[in-house]
Amino acid sequence: MPAERKPMRYGHSEGHTDVCFDDTGKYIVTCGSDGDVRIWESLDDDDPKSISVGEKAYSLALKNGKLVTAGSNNTVQIHTFPDGDPDGILTRFTTNANHVAFSSNGSRVAAGSSDFLVKVVEVSDSSQQKTLRGHDAPVLSVTFDPKDEFLGSSSCDGTVAVWKIEDQVQVKNWKILQKFNDVSNAKSLCRLAWQPGSAKLLAVPVDTAVQLYERDSWNHVSSLSDDFVTQPVNVVAWSPCGKFLAAGTVGGILAVWDVERKLCVEREKHEKGYTVCGMAWHPSGGQIAYTDTEGCLGLLDGVSATTSSSAATKSLKATENKVGGEYDDLFDGDDDGLLGENLSEAGSPVKNPIADDEDDDDLMPSTGRPRNRGAFLDDDENSQDAGSVKLGSDKYGDDDGASTILPSSTPAPPRPVYEGPMPTPPQKAFQPGSTPVHLMHRFMVWNSVGIVRGYNDEQDNAIDVEFHDTSVHHAMHLTNSLGHTLADLSHEAVLLACEGTDELASKLQCLHFSSWDTNKEWMVDLPKGEDVRALCLGQGWAAAATSALLVRIFSVGGVQREVFCLPGPVVCMAGHGEQLLIAYHRGTGFDGEQALGVQLLHCGSKRKQVIHGEPLPLSRKSYLSWMGFTAEGTPCFVDSEGVVRMLNRSLGNTWTPVCNTRENCKGKSDHYWVVGVHENPQQLRCIPCKGSRFPPTLPRPAVAILPFKLPLCQTTTEKGQMEEQYWRSVLFHNHFDFLSSSGYEIDEEGKNQAQKEQQELLMKMFALSCKLEREFRCVELAELMTQSVVTLAIRYASRSRRMALAQRLGELAMEKAAAAQLEEEQEEEEPEYNRTGAEYHESRQWSSRQSQEEEGCEDEDGQQQMETEECAERKKPCLNPFNKGDNSPEKPSPKPVSKEGRVNPFKVSGSGKPNSSSSGQQRVTNVLDSMTLTSRKPSMMGSSGAKQRKDPVLKPLAPRPKSKTQATLLQMSVPKATSKKPEEKEPSADTQRITEGASSASPADNIENRKPKTGFQLWLEENRKGILADSPDLDEMDVIKEAMGRFRALSAEDRLSWTERAKGGQSREVAELKKRKREEESEEGKVNEQNETEESSTKKKKALDTSAKLSAFAFNKN
């Protein structure tokens, strides 16, 4: 006869309940939300014994006379059975304990809690505990492997995990469940159950089916379902023999499957349709006790193994007769004994006749069709073990036939098996700085501006906005009647979005609190069927990416702007100033990899795409967890492995890893939740999360600051540490050039300090390489230095008696000086041929730069003059004003690199006459000083970069993009940019010194290489003596300043006449130059002037006291 469903009876107050049998089957034990445990001798017991265990009891387990309960008082208690005397507390949690389970021998208890932890405790000694960490949400259930080697657990984070108890590590994790923020909101309790006896299979309720996973291989071998099971399965329980599996559903359906035959042999409906939340088999296997969410207890009687197996056999034969199949040949030749011996109880459908039992007829409807309406779902072709169910295979290696999954009766045609890499499920869209949507209290966004919290519980559905700087705006409390799930926050506005429903469209709502008018809020409805997936705010604009693969840009006031398509589903977006950063799926990843692409766009007045969908580099088998901008505007992102990567604009927009947060974590399950990145000072702002990936809203989490560290090799050595510090400084100060090129004001003091630190590090590395006798490495380091630091390096090398190195560095210094002079000439050659007011513009340029030198800042006149010069440079040919030849513009030549252009600073005078020691020192000093004074290479790089661009672009004066084709990217471009700004401030003085140094060069070089002088230079040559006569105490710099002041005092007509004289007097300048040279030599007659005559045209005079100071600095050991 079929199983009999006994009438339900009241046991506990309304709420969650649980049930179990004692070891003998004499007692039924239940617990409920009233906090009581009741011991029933039978279902008809009118006076069950009651034990109070707390306010609420969520779960209980009974073994070897020990009753264990999990309750709302955050403890797992133990009582004696059946007396019910308290026997202590096994363990404590920080919140509710949700489920408990005994091991097979009763020596240990496992408990899962809402604080994401699973604990395994020895019953005899509760101090012996093992804590399993790894779930990211409350634990739903736990179950012991009958062999006590593994432990299974399910969680609200959507995962089912298998743990190796002794090692306290996860051996397998399946993401197969729906995510919930709490046990009370979970659609299913997902009570796992391990097959008793052989422990071959783990049963996992997943939605409306029960999935079976094989031990050790952890492959999904099958799924059990039934047509009548239309709501999620809540609990499952194995029969003591391990052949049958019972399940209770949310809709009140009780189903029993014969796992061998894959048949649903029992199907009962709860009398009131309440959710079944507790289920237990009688030790004999003939009864199933169950409880519901209304506190009632029920019993299903007559569920015997004999009846069920006979019914299953009869159903299978009915199916066989209907098809008319003959299976004798199918089973012939099976020598392994699996189908002959292990199935002797149930019988082979052909070889064993069906017992003529009258009870079997009740399981068959009058139509003669089998009662089974269930379906056994074989694993699909993408399964990792598609061939796990094979006819006659003895893959389980156990004599227990009851635990073996048998093949279906109808042989299926062979299918090709894909054995390649498996595709990775695509990462879902998320908002950077937010916690999961399923949480009732969550962070909708946490960024450098403030925090947006969302609350969605029974009392309130609201949004709180808090600003780090209250001067931006006061805190706000917003009602969330539309159910917004996405948010972003900037200094101008709060942007919110919600998904659409069948009745309502997806909405984008903006609260523009910085608006000067009274209407500070606007809202946009998206087209039907299009939902917002990601959003962000920038300076004056807002953007939203939708499910239609579109990005919609709005002004912050609500004006619709651009709309463009994405190549794939969006993952997240971030905005900063005029920059928009988008990450999206560019394809399907395999073997756990995510295939993401990234686009970087400028949404300002000059709209352009900087990064065109290049792949986003993630760590192996990781996903994107945060993406945004530093406070200075550099894109960066973090993956799930904790690696922080930053965009390196100076290296072709590549991504450089700058930190690994996992190196700072103490435990494997600890993580850092990033909320902000700063480049100056170098800080990674994040929240430490112990045992989870995200923080709770309460209590307010504390923000920690982590340091950056580039993953260079051998950072434990002194050399590796200095290399890491240098390149990190270069990378983290690239934003100065980007901001200045974008028109923003920059911190000149901070930039100068960074340049100083970088050059000091280079000098330290140079000294270390000298000690290690790595002279070639010294030259490589010198190429990264500025002109002044190369001079110090030459002195260090000479003091270390490394003359060959000093010679090489001298040649390098001359190359830098020549390149600097060339750049200076290119910058100043344009004003000579401006159409009108050329000398006026020239003087304005010199005066502007001179004022920068004196005041350390730029003014508007200087900026306008630079813009005018750059525009005119592109329209007219460029001439060198120092060329004495009659012909046309100078062509940049590699002459400074040739032997003639390189000068040995230690070379004896060509006359062969030895000078005094003081004169020799004076000669070397002049060479090095001239190199320092002509340090113009950084400005040359900026100018050449400007000349290569054909379209006129107006830019501020200060620092411009750098480029120089002769320099390699890594060796020269970045460090040279560090010295560009300070040295750009005194062009007129350097120009005059170059003129004087060139005048003392050989006449042949002057005639061939000099270009026409400017009007000011011609005026200065004729009036120099007069100025010196008026003020004989003036040094060279003061003479230049005085001359510039007097020249500016001239009328425009006089200045123009001097310019015309300079243009028309080219034929007379050669003779005048020679005459003046002879006069100066006869008047001065100094040794340093003779040395300048022998050497390059780029050398100039400087006082001895400056060289002495540089030398003292280079060898200061303190």
Side-chain angles (χ1 to χ4, degrees), residues 501-572:
T501 63
D502 294 338
E503 296 81 13
L504 299 176
S506 178
K507 298 180 183 296
L508 188 69
Q509 181 178 2
C510 181
L511 182 60
H512 185 202
F513 55 78
S514 66
S515 173
W516 49 266
D517 67 358
T518 56
N519 295 321
K520 298 180 180 296
E521 185 176 340
W522 56 270
M523 185 181 299
V524 171
D525 289 354
L526 268 65
K528 186 176 181 180
E530 184 176 345
D531 291 334
V532 177
R533 292 285 185 255
L535 50 78
C536 67
L537 282 166
Q539 185 176 357
W541 55 270
T546 70
S547 57
L549 304 185
L550 294 177
V551 174
R552 299 179 179 272
I553 300 180
F554 302 83
S555 71
V556 75
V559 179
Q560 297 189 59
R561 287 174 44 183
E562 295 85 0
V563 178
F564 60 92
C565 295
L566 283 178
V570 69
V571 176
C572 67

Side-chain angles (χ1 to χ4, degrees), residues 339-464:
L339 298 178
E341 297 174 7
N342 296 344
L343 302 184
S344 59
E345 181 180 353
S348 172
V350 175
K351 295 183 179 180
N352 292 341
I354 300 176
D356 189 12
D357 192 345
E358 60 182 8
D359 295 337
D360 295 345
D361 296 335
D362 296 326
L363 293 177
M364 296 293 295
S366 58
T367 59
R369 298 180 63 185
R371 178 170 177 171
N372 173 48
R373 297 183 56 149
F376 185 86
L377 304 177
D378 287 334
D379 220 5
D380 60 17
E381 59 201 32
N382 289 331
S383 169
Q384 296 179 355
D385 191 14
S388 61
V389 183
K390 294 183 179 179
L391 182 62
S393 66
D394 191 13
K395 76 176 293 178
Y396 298 110
D398 198 308
D399 292 333
D400 187 4
S403 65
T404 306
I405 299 296
L406 296 180
S408 58
S409 58
T410 303
R415 292 178 297 177
V417 178
Y418 174 71
E419 298 179 353
M422 303 304 297
T424 304
Q427 178 182 356
K428 293 184 179 180
F430 71 97
Q431 187 69 13
S434 67
T435 52
V437 179
H438 66 266
L439 299 176
M440 288 190 297
H441 294 186
R442 58 181 289 255
F443 292 110
M444 299 181 73
V445 67
W446 184 323
N447 58 21
S448 58
V449 178
I451 305 171
V452 180
R453 294 183 181 89
Y455 303 94
N456 184 12
D457 49 29
E458 297 177 356
Q459 290 79 19
D460 195 11
N461 189 355
I463 295 174
D464 284 345

Side-chain angles (χ1 to χ4, degrees), residues 610-818:
V610 181
I611 301 179
H612 307 269
E614 282 80 358
L616 191 67
L618 298 172
S619 301
R620 286 279 298 162
K621 298 184 182 299
S622 68
Y623 55 87
L624 185 63
S625 60
W626 184 88
M627 187 178 73
F629 292 85
T630 66
E632 292 75 15
T634 303
C636 54
F637 70 91
V638 186
D639 60 30
S640 58
E641 293 299 318
V643 179
V644 184
R645 293 176 176 84
M646 182 180 295
L647 187 70
N648 189 349
R649 300 182 191 272
S650 64
L651 196 59
N653 290 330
T654 54
W655 297 93
T656 301
V658 295
C659 181
N660 188 350
T661 61
R662 296 292 299 167
E663 295 178 354
N664 298 277
C665 295
K666 296 181 179 179
K668 293 184 177 179
S669 59
D670 297 345
H671 297 85
Y672 280 97
W673 196 64
V674 176
V675 297
V677 183
H678 295 260
E679 295 181 76
N680 190 19
Q682 297 179 16
Q683 292 180 350
L684 177 64
R685 303 175 63 83
C686 49
I687 297 173
C689 304
K690 189 172 182 62
S692 66
R693 287 190 174 271
F694 52 85
T697 56
L698 293 175
R700 183 188 177 96
V703 177
I705 295 177
L706 297 183
F708 291 102
K709 183 179 180 182
L710 300 185
L712 267 62
C713 301
Q714 296 179 329
T715 53
T716 56
T717 64
E718 184 181 5
K719 170 179 174 291
Q721 289 176 0
M722 288 190 291
E723 289 172 339
E724 190 275 336
Q725 292 175 19
Y726 173 75
W727 288 112
R728 175 157 46 88
S729 177
V730 170
L731 175 64
F732 276 80
H733 292 92
N734 282 340
H735 67 274
F736 284 122
D737 295 325
F738 169 74
L739 292 177
S740 62
S741 64
S742 300
Y744 294 98
E745 294 183 0
I746 61 175
D747 181 11
E748 291 291 345
E749 182 179 354
K751 181 178 180 181
N752 295 337
Q753 181 64 27
Q755 294 170 353
K756 180 180 178 182
E757 293 175 357
Q758 293 167 14
Q759 296 303 313
E760 287 179 355
L761 285 169
L762 286 173
M763 195 63 200
K764 290 178 181 178
M765 287 189 283
F766 179 87
L768 179 62
S769 299
C770 281
K771 292 178 182 178
L772 299 176
E773 298 183 353
R774 297 280 187 177
E775 296 189 1
F776 188 86
R777 184 182 297 168
C778 290
V779 177
E780 291 178 327
L781 291 170
E783 291 177 351
L784 303 175
M785 297 177 181
T786 59
Q787 183 66 40
S788 59
V789 181
V790 171
T791 302
L792 299 180
I794 294 175
R795 296 187 182 280
Y796 188 95
S798 61
R799 290 288 184 89
S800 302
R801 293 181 174 82
R802 301 184 184 278
M803 297 307 172
L805 175 60
Q807 172 68 22
R808 294 278 185 180
L809 295 178
E811 296 174 359
L812 177 62
M814 296 306 301
E815 293 178 14
K816 288 178 176 285

Side-chain angles (χ1 to χ4, degrees), residues 207-471:
D207 201 18
T208 60
V210 180
Q211 295 186 6
L212 301 179
Y213 291 87
E214 181 188 23
R215 178 192 172 96
D216 294 332
S217 71
W218 311 118
N219 290 330
H220 173 219
V221 294
S222 61
S223 297
L224 300 174
S225 65
D226 187 79
D227 294 345
F228 286 94
V229 178
T230 58
Q231 297 197 49
V233 178
N234 216 23
V235 293
V236 294
W238 287 90
S239 65
C241 64
K243 295 181 180 180
F244 303 100
L245 183 67
T249 72
V250 173
I253 296 293
L254 298 169
V256 180
W257 281 278
D258 183 342
V259 179
E260 286 186 78
R261 302 294 185 182
K262 319 173 192 75
L263 303 177
C264 183
V265 296
E266 283 295 340
R267 191 183 301 104
E268 293 290 343
K269 174 84 173 169
H270 188 286
E271 60 184 32
K272 294 185 178 181
Y274 294 150
T275 297
V276 177
C277 56
M279 180 176 287
W281 281 80
H282 191 279
S284 66
Q287 292 180 329
I288 298 177
Y290 61 95
T291 56
D292 58 28
T293 53
E294 296 297 316
C296 295
L297 170 66
L299 194 65
L300 200 61
D301 198 5
V303 187
S304 64
T306 304
T307 300
S308 299
S309 61
S310 300
T313 305
K314 186 171 183 179
S315 299
L316 184 61
K317 186 170 183 180
T319 303
E320 177 185 334
N321 293 336
K322 181 177 179 180
V323 178
E326 185 63 43
Y327 296 109
D328 286 334
D329 296 337
L330 184 63
F331 293 97
D332 287 343
D334 285 324
D335 297 331
D336 55 3
L338 177 66
L339 298 178
E341 297 174 7
N342 296 344
L343 302 184
S344 59
E345 181 180 353
S348 172
V350 175
K351 295 183 179 180
N352 292 341
I354 300 176
D356 189 12
D357 192 345
E358 60 182 8
D359 295 337
D360 295 345
D361 296 335
D362 296 326
L363 293 177
M364 296 293 295
S366 58
T367 59
R369 298 180 63 185
R371 178 170 177 171
N372 173 48
R373 297 183 56 149
F376 185 86
L377 304 177
D378 287 334
D379 220 5
D380 60 17
E381 59 201 32
N382 289 331
S383 169
Q384 296 179 355
D385 191 14
S388 61
V389 183
K390 294 183 179 179
L391 182 62
S393 66
D394 191 13
K395 76 176 293 178
Y396 298 110
D398 198 308
D399 292 333
D400 187 4
S403 65
T404 306
I405 299 296
L406 296 180
S408 58
S409 58
T410 303
R415 292 178 297 177
V417 178
Y418 174 71
E419 298 179 353
M422 303 304 297
T424 304
Q427 178 182 356
K428 293 184 179 180
F430 71 97
Q431 187 69 13
S434 67
T435 52
V437 179
H438 66 266
L439 299 176
M440 288 190 297
H441 294 186
R442 58 181 289 255
F443 292 110
M444 299 181 73
V445 67
W446 184 323
N447 58 21
S448 58
V449 178
I451 305 171
V452 180
R453 294 183 181 89
Y455 303 94
N456 184 12
D457 49 29
E458 297 177 356
Q459 290 79 19
D460 195 11
N461 189 355
I463 295 174
D464 284 345
V465 182
E466 173 188 344
F467 295 87
H468 300 315
D469 183 2
T470 54
S471 64

